[in-house]
Structures are given as structure tokens and as C-alpha cells.
Amino acid sequence: MNGRIAFAGVLAVCVAGAGAYVAWAMARGGGGDAPSAASAASLRKLTASPYVAFLTSPKDVAPYDELYVASLARPSRRLAVGLRCDRVAMNDAMGSCVEHNVGIGVTYTVTFFDSAFHEVAHGGGTGIPSRTRLSPSGRLAAVTSFTQGDSYLQAGQFSTTTSIFDTHTGRAVVANLERLHVFRGGRAFDPLDRNFWGVTFASDSVFYATMASGNTTWLVRGDLRTRTMRTVHENVECPSLSPDGARIAFKRRVASGAWRFTVLDLSTGAETPLAEHESVDDQLAWLDGSKLAYGWQGAVWVVDADGGGRPRLLLRNAQSPTVVDPGLRST
């Protein structure tokens, strides 16, 4: 896109496009030893104010797998945490670091750590991890992995497993969302070819996700207490719930087969296309109530949630950034 302008005020959550990720994740092998972590005192000082946690690469090329933190007031000041991840998510209570296992079949390990970056628990599953998100309290984490195929580009030609973990124990609360029952229009709707991915949490019991069957996708609203989900809206992929819980940002498939970033008003069903016109495979993240962040071509961009403006460059040489600020609800 020509004419995009730099944007350096704040940093935000970003999950990189799954298709590009899998290509290098499978090739990177063990990746060597983790970088030396910053001292505990330095980390405490930097993270005493709002900061961003993100994955980067000193070589400015994939894989972006070294976990760093940077001050929001001075983003150029970066410290290595000492973990390596394929995907990371964080809020002010907890972090989730997911890494595929090398030489142990197609499996992954997820490490949960507290706000001081102390490891709390470990979990794991099968497949190549592609997404992770935390509930607002940090008590639950969702991990999606590819168990067949390597991207979301071709509907019906991939298979995913999405698990929800207790971050305090590492145990799976739900081993696979396919074990929950789905309702559509008040009737049971459990097609055999269903897939689920892209979880975004409203609370420790309520979440939204994408459900796919055949060539159709739906936004579903899940309730862990009743172990049920219900369809909400059609043609929704990779949802992200706004901080006020009133809107869903997502990828919408258009007639050409490309994706278009869109915001859905949950109360009215109205859709607002965003100013990003490229077909981007990513799960949008709310920077605040009015802006959204996403990864595209090795950089992180920001776009207005009301459909106005134009995309602005946010961060280079980084993936999976998460703003850690008690005033910002991360979903």
C-alpha cells in the first residue's frame, strides 16, 4: 500500500498470519539456545509501567521467536525475557508461550508464566500451534493447532484442534472444542466436518470462536458452564472481541475469495469494512476501543475500527505483540 504513514505512539496485540508461520516453523528445527534473559531487577523496572511483550528476531528475518519486552513510553528500549515461542499472548495477570516440539512427532508445549515471567505451569497438545489467547483474568488460555494442512487459506482442506487450558495447572479444561455441542436456530448443529479456531474470550466461562463446515464459517458463542455453543453470524473468521464486549473484529470472505477486515456490531448485526484493502490472514487485536492491530508482511499495522483513515505502520521486526496494561482488557 502506498502512502501508509508511520505510527509510533503505542503498541498492540498481533498474531501473525498462520500460513506464512507454518512454513518457517516447520523448518526452523530447535532454533538453538534461548537468548540470555534480562536481570529480574531490569524486568521489574521496565514492566512497572505499561509495556509490550512480543516476539522478535535479531536478524530481522523469520523465525520471530525470541520473547522480548519494551516500554510503551520508550519502545526502542527492549529486554530479552529468555523464552522462545512460536506464539505468545499476555495480559497483566498471565502469559501463554506456545512452541512446537522438535523430534517428538507433531506436538507442542505451552508454558504459562506470571506477570514477573516466572513459569507457573506447562501443558501440551498435538499439531503445529497457530494461535493462543488468554481470558481477561488470565485463568484460561486457548491454543489452536493445525493437525492437517498448514493454513486457513483453503476451506475444507485443513483440520484444527482448539484446546482451552487452565493456566494455573496446565490441564486442559476442554481438550477439543469439537466436544462441545453446537446449536443453530435453537436446534442441534454438529456436522462431522466441523473445525474451530480463533478463540477470543469474554470471561472465564464465555468465549467466541470460528466454526467451519464445508465452505461456510460462523461466529459461535460458547459457554463452558453448559459446554454448548450457538451460531451468531455467518462468514466470520478469527474473531476478536472489543474491550467493551459490544463488537467483533474479524476476517470476512468476499466474492473474489480474498479476506476483508470487518467489524461486527453484536447488537445490530451491522458490518463495517475496515480501511485495509489487502487480503490479510491474521486475527485482529484491539489496540483500544477505536483501533485494531494486525500483522502483514513482517510488520505490525494499525487501522481504525470505524472504517475510516488508512493503515499506519506500528512496529517492524516483531510478531505477536501484546500490550500489558491493567486499563486494557486483552482478549
Side-chain angles (χ1 to χ4, degrees):
M1 282 185 160
N2 294 327
R4 288 185 169 180
I5 59 177
F7 182 88
V10 288
L11 300 177
V13 178
C14 167
V15 182
Y21 152 70
V22 171
W24 60 255
M26 289 298 291
R28 76 180 178 94
D33 296 329
S36 298
S39 71
S42 296
L43 280 173
R44 282 197 301 271
K45 182 177 180 180
L46 189 150
T47 59
S49 301
Y51 67 95
V52 60
F54 61 97
L55 302 181
T56 188
S57 166
K59 297 179 181 179
D60 196 16
V61 293
Y64 298 91
D65 60 358
E66 299 184 7
L67 179 56
Y68 274 62
V69 294
S71 166
L72 283 177
R74 296 175 56 195
S76 61
R77 185 181 175 223
R78 301 181 172 192
L79 294 176
V81 173
L83 289 172
R84 279 194 163 167
C85 318
D86 295 336
R87 286 291 178 268
V88 66
M90 251 193 112
N91 59 23
D92 59 306
M94 193 67 70
S96 173
C97 170
V98 191
E99 183 176 27
H100 81 280
N101 296 320
V102 178
I104 316 178
V106 185
T107 61
Y108 66 82
T109 296
V110 54
T111 299
F112 303 114
F113 55 92
D114 63 19
S115 58
F117 302 96
H118 298 142
E119 295 183 10
V120 173
H122 298 269
T126 59
I128 298 295
S130 63
R131 309 213 185 276
T132 184
R133 287 292 176 97
L134 291 158
S135 66
S137 75
R139 185 59 192 253
L140 298 179
V143 177
T144 295
S145 62
F146 289 110
T147 55
Q148 176 183 332
D150 61 1
S151 79
Y152 302 106
L153 294 175
Q154 297 295 326
Q157 296 184 19
F158 64 90
S159 180
T160 60
T161 296
T162 295
S163 303
I164 297 178
F165 294 90
D166 183 322
T167 61
H168 292 191
T169 66
R171 296 176 181 174
V173 176
V174 178
N176 192 335
L177 288 189
E178 293 182 17
R179 298 185 180 181
L180 276 59
H181 294 292
V182 182
F183 292 86
R184 182 184 180 194
R187 296 187 176 185
F189 181 56
D190 292 315
L192 294 177
D193 66 341
R194 63 192 182 277
N195 271 317
F196 298 93
W197 69 88
V199 168
T200 181
F201 287 96
S203 68
D204 284 345
S205 59
V206 177
F207 65 91
Y208 292 87
T210 295
M211 172 182 172
S213 175
N215 294 317
T216 304
T217 61
W218 294 268
L219 174 69
V220 293
R221 184 180 188 273
D223 189 328
L224 294 176
R225 294 166 299 186
T226 61
R227 297 182 70 84
T228 60
M229 291 180 277
R230 62 179 179 84
T231 61
V232 176
H233 199 81
E234 195 169 311
N235 197 5
V236 172
E237 297 185 53
C238 298
S240 183
L241 185 65
S242 63
D244 62 6
R247 292 160 292 165
I248 289 281
F250 66 100
K251 300 183 309 186
R252 183 180 185 276
R253 188 81 67 170
V254 296
S256 66
W259 285 301
R260 180 73 185 273
F261 283 148
T262 305
V263 170
L264 169 70
D265 186 309
L266 288 170
S267 64
T268 66
E271 295 183 356
T272 301
L274 303 187
E276 175 58 85
H277 294 282
E278 298 291 342
S279 180
V280 180
D281 179 15
D282 198 10
Q283 185 172 16
L284 286 155
W286 291 84
L287 180 66
D288 52 32
S290 64
K291 294 183 289 296
L292 290 147
Y294 55 96
W296 182 64
Q297 293 191 346
V300 176
W301 299 82
V302 171
V303 69
D304 294 337
D306 64 3
R310 55 181 176 175
R312 288 92 74 190
L313 179 65
L314 180 68
L315 185 66
R316 298 183 187 275
N317 186 26
Q319 299 287 3
S320 292
T322 305
V323 168
V324 182
D325 183 346
L328 176 66
R329 184 173 140 233
S330 299
T331 58

